[in-house]
Amino acid sequence: MSVVPPGVERVLFTEEQIHARIREVAAEISRNYQGKSVKLIAVLKGSIFFLTALARHIEVPVSIDFLGISSFSNKSGAQGVVRIAKDLDEAIEGEDVLLVEDIIDTGFTLRYLLQTLAGRAPNSLAVCTFLDRHSRRIVQVPVDYRCFEIDDRFVVGFGLDYNQLYRNLGYVAVMGPKKNV
Ligand code: IMP
Ligand code: MG
């Protein structure tokens, strides 16, 4: 593997490990959605890398759609304020929806998305995340499929960014303590 970029400490999951695990999760999804089709919904931008890799290995009919969100702290400093910046192109009423996430951290983003999507009457709504940092969870959210559980370190690659950089790394890496990039 090539040398990691400056600011990056070490590789956590190699490209090979990632693809092997994604194939396992895709097989599980294919079994559970047998006889149905599944709509994958990803949150821009990080999750598109995981969505495309996952979709390629799912063996039931797949459609895709995207949501754009912005999350911020409000004036009083309350965490977890999320709003939709780009809505889905199509309705999800009656569909079997699988929400595809890059990472679940505090759970605020996912809770908001689940509430929003549940209000649109899908036939079913499940969650598939690439990474899960359960130790930092503040609000409890259901997670149906996860590729990897990670410790409390900031990670980049395979869609995950630091200041919009590193999304294109094929592997997942731990950022160095200074994040000096
Ligand atoms: P939360 O679950 O609402 O706290 O937020 C999850 C979002 O925070 C993810 O969709 C990422 O955009 C971002 N995020 C959290 N942890 C990391 C990380 O380690 N690297 C890159 N982005 C992260
Ligand atoms: Mg981000």
Side-chain angles (χ1 to χ4, degrees):
M1 184 187 309
S2 54
V3 176
V4 296
V8 169
E9 190 177 290
R10 67 187 161 86
V11 173
L12 190 60
F13 304 115
T14 66
E15 209 162 334
E16 291 72 25
Q17 287 173 320
I18 290 169
H19 287 285
R21 181 66 188 130
I22 288 176
R23 273 194 291 274
E24 287 176 359
V25 171
E28 204 183 327
I29 291 168
S30 302
R31 278 195 301 277
N32 293 347
Y33 288 85
Q34 206 69 60
K36 300 178 181 174
S37 57
V38 61
K39 172 165 276 184
L40 305 181
I41 293 181
V43 180
L44 299 169
K45 309 166 192 157
S47 304
I48 63 170
F49 292 78
F50 177 45
L51 179 140
T52 56
L54 183 70
R56 248 173 254 161
H57 296 289
I58 294 179
E59 288 172 346
V60 298
V62 166
S63 61
I64 62 175
D65 207 345
F66 299 97
L67 270 173
I69 56 162
S70 47
S71 46
F72 47 88
S73 300
N74 69 11
K75 283 178 200 140
S76 54
Q79 267 185 292
V81 184
V82 182
R83 94 183 157 78
I84 292 186
K86 181 228 169 283
D87 208 338
L88 297 172
D89 288 338
E90 287 149 16
I92 56 168
E93 190 179 344
E95 297 211 51
D96 292 296
V97 171
L98 184 57
L99 185 57
V100 177
E101 269 284 20
D102 52 358
I103 183 167
I104 306 171
D105 191 48
T106 61
F108 281 122
T109 309
L110 183 58
R111 181 177 64 176
Y112 172 81
L113 293 172
L114 286 174
Q115 281 169 353
T116 304
L117 296 178
R120 299 181 185 188
N123 183 50
S124 68
L125 180 57
V127 174
C128 178
T129 191
F130 178 52
L131 302 179
D132 188 358
R133 195 189 285 114
H134 193 259
S135 61
R136 278 182 38 95
R137 200 74 94 247
I138 296 175
V139 293
Q140 293 314 310
V141 282
V143 181
D144 302 275
Y145 308 92
R146 71 169 61 70
C147 289
F148 302 103
E149 170 76 42
I150 62 164
D151 292 337
D152 192 7
R153 291 293 307 273
F154 196 85
V155 293
V156 294
F158 209 76
L160 291 142
D161 73 301
Y162 171 64
N163 282 352
Q164 298 302 327
L165 293 174
Y166 304 125
R167 292 192 197 277
N168 59 320
L169 300 179
Y171 50 86
V172 170
V174 176
M175 283 298 288
K178 290 195 193 113
K179 295 186 193 167
N180 51 349
V181 285

